[in-house]
């Protein structure tokens, strides 16, 4: 069983819709939760970083963490065609993890005009 | 400057060639990383340098040889690669302290081995 599970999609939504992405994880020692956006043939770009349960909002993006259910989500409001990309969740265990993040498989999102 | 710069962007090499990938950051980050990413897969950690010393080697074959000449530069030397080594090679960096999980990635080098 993978430590982080993420549906690879693709997820297709019309422009203006809310995009809902999620990951589940199995290791309760995970403390740090991130979402990266990756355009085709480019490096991942950090979108959201959080280390506690609850919601964190940044512009059109909201990250949600539920440690009791081992479930994290990313919501994108008012989606745009430029949001079309692969979204990767990444989870770290401790402050000494030094890049040993557990990545989800990535969900491909397509926003159609 | 919040960029991690990787060169070259694309590289095609034969199995007998020797080539190097280069990475540079000027954010003062003290950890630098090499990741390998195959199409439609998540990045896989290869090496971690912390304070210019190799701290993690994820059992990577010796045909990949990392080097950290100084705190801003990271190289990956390639020799006698196999076609299955074709992938996107990503460099990343992170700062020391409580947010060292925040990785900043470069755009990558798309490597094709013929």
């Amino acid at each position: 069983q993978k430590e982080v599970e993420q549906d690879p999609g693709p997820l297709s939504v019309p422009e203006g819709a809310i995009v809902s992405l999620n990951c589940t994880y199995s290791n309760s020692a995970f403390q740090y939760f991130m979402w990266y956006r990756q355009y085709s043939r480019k490096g991942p770009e950090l979108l959201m970083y959080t280390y506690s349960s609850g919601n964190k909002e940044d512009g059109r993006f909201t990250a949600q963490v539920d440690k009791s259910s081992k479930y994290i989500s990313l919501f994108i409001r008012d989606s745009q065609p430029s949001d079309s990309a692969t979204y990767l969740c990444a989870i770290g265990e401790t402050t000494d993890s030094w890049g040993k993040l557990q990545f989800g498989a990535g969900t491909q999102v397509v926003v159609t005009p | 400057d919040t960029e991690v710069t990787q060169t070259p962007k694309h590289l095609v090499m034969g199995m007998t060639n020797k080539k190097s990938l280069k990475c540079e950051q000027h954010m003062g980050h003290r950890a630098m990383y090499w990741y390998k990413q195959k199409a439609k897969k998540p990045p896989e950690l290869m090496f971690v340098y912390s304070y210019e010393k190799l701290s993690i080697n994820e059992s990577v074959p010796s045909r990949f040889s990392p080097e950290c000449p100084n705190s801003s530069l990271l190289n990956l030397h390639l020799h006698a690669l196999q076609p299955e080594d074709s992938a996107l090679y990503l460099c990343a960096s992170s700062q020391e302290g409580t947010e060292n999980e925040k990785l900043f990635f470069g755009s990558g080098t798309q490597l094709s081995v013929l």
Side-chain angles (χ1 to χ4, degrees):
Chain A
Q1 182 188 5
K2 294 180 183 176
E3 290 201 87
V4 180
E5 298 280 358
Q6 181 179 9
D7 187 335
L11 176 64
S12 184
V13 300
E15 182 175 356
I18 295 176
V19 176
S20 175
L21 305 167
N22 58 74
C23 289
T24 58
Y25 61 95
S26 55
N27 187 346
S28 58
F30 287 143
Q31 299 180 39
Y32 301 90
F33 309 93
M34 284 152 278
W35 286 95
Y36 284 85
R37 175 176 65 195
Q38 186 173 24
Y39 293 112
S40 181
R41 296 180 177 268
K42 296 291 186 184
E45 173 192 8
L46 181 63
L47 284 178
M48 301 291 281
Y49 172 89
T50 185
Y51 54 86
S52 59
S53 283
N55 293 352
K56 181 176 182 179
E57 193 172 311
D58 184 359
R60 295 186 296 113
F61 299 92
T62 299
Q64 201 171 72
V65 175
D66 182 348
K67 287 187 177 182
S68 63
S69 301
K70 299 187 182 69
Y71 189 90
I72 65 172
S73 301
L74 178 71
F75 301 98
I76 308 173
R77 291 183 300 280
D78 187 24
S79 58
Q80 305 294 312
S82 58
D83 295 324
S84 298
T86 296
Y87 291 80
L88 295 143
C89 63
I91 303 179
E93 185 170 334
T94 70
T95 56
D96 294 328
S97 56
W98 283 119
K100 285 181 73 75
L101 299 176
Q102 297 294 329
F103 283 91
T107 300
Q108 183 185 0
V109 172
V110 179
V111 181
T112 54
Chain B
D1 183 355
T2 58
E3 279 194 355
V4 176
T5 304
Q6 289 188 244
T7 55
K9 293 191 184 305
H10 304 276
L11 180 62
V12 179
M13 61 186 291
M15 289 189 284
T16 59
N17 293 157
K18 287 185 179 181
K19 296 287 185 184
S20 297
L21 309 184
K22 297 186 182 301
C23 175
E24 189 169 4
Q25 59 88 12
H26 295 288
M27 294 179 278
H29 289 175
R30 300 315 300 266
M32 296 186 76
Y33 312 80
W34 282 113
Y35 278 82
K36 173 183 176 180
Q37 187 177 26
K38 300 283 264 186
K40 299 190 183 298
K41 297 290 185 183
E44 297 176 15
L45 183 64
M46 300 175 72
F47 302 104
V48 180
Y49 272 84
S50 172
Y51 293 90
E52 301 160 50
K53 294 192 187 312
L54 184 64
S55 60
I56 295 176
N57 176 341
E58 291 288 285
S59 302
V60 178
S62 60
R63 57 186 184 268
F64 295 92
S65 176
E67 178 195 20
C68 189
N70 61 54
S71 60
S72 299
L73 294 174
L74 187 66
N75 299 321
L76 185 63
H77 303 298
L78 313 173
H79 174 54
L81 294 193
Q82 304 297 310
E84 59 264 30
D85 296 322
S86 298
L88 181 66
Y89 286 84
L90 295 163
C91 175
S93 68
S94 67
Q95 65 185 37
E96 62 184 312
T98 57
E99 293 193 340
N100 61 6
E101 299 83 9
K102 278 189 180 180
L103 298 184
F104 293 84
F105 285 90
S107 291
T109 294
Q110 188 67 51
L111 174 67
S112 296
V113 181
L114 304 179

